[in-house]
Amino acid sequence: MNESDLARARALVTEAARIVAFSGAGLSAESGVATFRGATRDSDASAPLWTRFDPARLASPEGFATDPETVAEWYAERRRSVQAARPNPAHRALASDGRIVNVTQNVDDLLHRAGASHIVQVHGTLTFDRCHRGCGYRTPVDMADPPGLRRCPQCPGRLRPDVVWFGETLPPDVWEEAVDACAACDLMLVVGTSAEVYPAAGLIDIARAAGAAIVVVNTEAGGAAGTADLELIGPAGEILPTITDG
Ligand code: BV8
Ligand code: ZN
């Protein structure tokens, strides 16, 4: 990535009125939180999740039905990892500019802890459990000492993380807020995502259809780059502070 690309990206950020940062697991990789697929640069702690667990199997109602203990163990491990992590310069850059709406696929709370004011978590959050049977019970989780598999106190169901699993629909109100932000932005920063998971990845198309400039920030070329006006290859923690005021 060259200086002129960085200068062009900086100019796009400066000129933009409404910015959406659409982020994935790569945003939290430099905090040591494991990604799902892409190789990461950091310690084993952030080795891709799939090396030890299969997210496509475990992050699903079927996985929870057939192996609830392993699913509960996987989430407890991820909650402890997030609790031990700290926001990195990429989170702080995206939190520092009031024009940025953070539409994130990530279920960690690092953008919140970096002070971001407007966050839309399209795939939910690790910081809460909810009733899997759907009675409406929802409760915050102690991320430092996460619970194991447990029953719902309100009905015969079990509690599960308040995230969206594969095969589950995204919460309609959250999805609508994400679509509205992406349809109204004039710049979308696509940060640390392989853009393989739908309907979330479709938000990039919504932003481009609305006339937004698309700037991809990723350690690997070619992810969402097919749709990019500009592709900045490198770690988000190094790039984002240089193109925002963060
Ligand atoms: C839905 C929460 C429909 C859980 C997640 C069969 C049945 C049903 C649905 C489907 C099906 N087949 C396909 C589908 C659709 C499916 C889907 O898209 N599958 C994919 C795999 C093809 N989608 C769904 O199921 C969605 N629901 O479609 O419902 C429906 C309709 C009606 C009725 C019923 C159902 C729900 C999908 C949500 C899944 N939940 N997370 C949890 O976290 O435990 S997805 C999870 O994976 C993340 O949230 C994230 O979205 C995704 C991971 O993607 P990324 O974030 O991009 O991470 P990844 O590791 O892939 O990439 C990291 C990137 O960062 C890489 O590019 C790397 O190069 C880069 N990087 C690394 N380090 C850095 C970096 N970049 C910058 N700096 C660095 N330092
Ligand atoms: Zn219940």
Side-chain angles (χ1 to χ4, degrees), residues 21-36 40 45-46 49 74-88 90-92 94-95 102-116 118-128 138 141 143 161-164 191-193 236:
F22 176 58
S23 56
L27 172 65
S28 299
E30 290 157 87
S31 298
V33 177
T35 65
F36 283 77
T40 51
S46 65
L49 280 174
W74 181 44
Y75 280 96
E77 182 175 316
R78 290 174 64 193
R79 282 164 162 162
R80 280 190 287 271
S81 157
V82 166
Q83 181 63 20
R86 294 284 166 270
N88 68 58
H91 295 108
R92 288 197 292 276
L94 296 181
N102 280 286
V103 176
T104 188
Q105 301 169 90
N106 296 341
V107 293
D108 64 50
D109 61 349
L110 293 173
L111 277 168
H112 302 77
R113 287 159 57 190
H118 190 172
I119 304 168
V120 183
Q121 288 192 281
V122 294
H123 290 156
T125 174
L126 284 174
T127 61
F128 279 80
R138 184 173 184 266
V141 157
M143 297 282 278
D162 189 20
V163 299
V164 179
V191 181
T193 181

Side-chain angles (χ1 to χ4, degrees), residues 130-137 151-159:
R130 72 168 189 265
C131 175
H132 186 51
R133 198 161 174 267
C135 76
Y137 182 77
R151 287 275 164 213
C152 175
Q154 270 182 190
C155 84
R158 281 190 170 126
L159 298 190

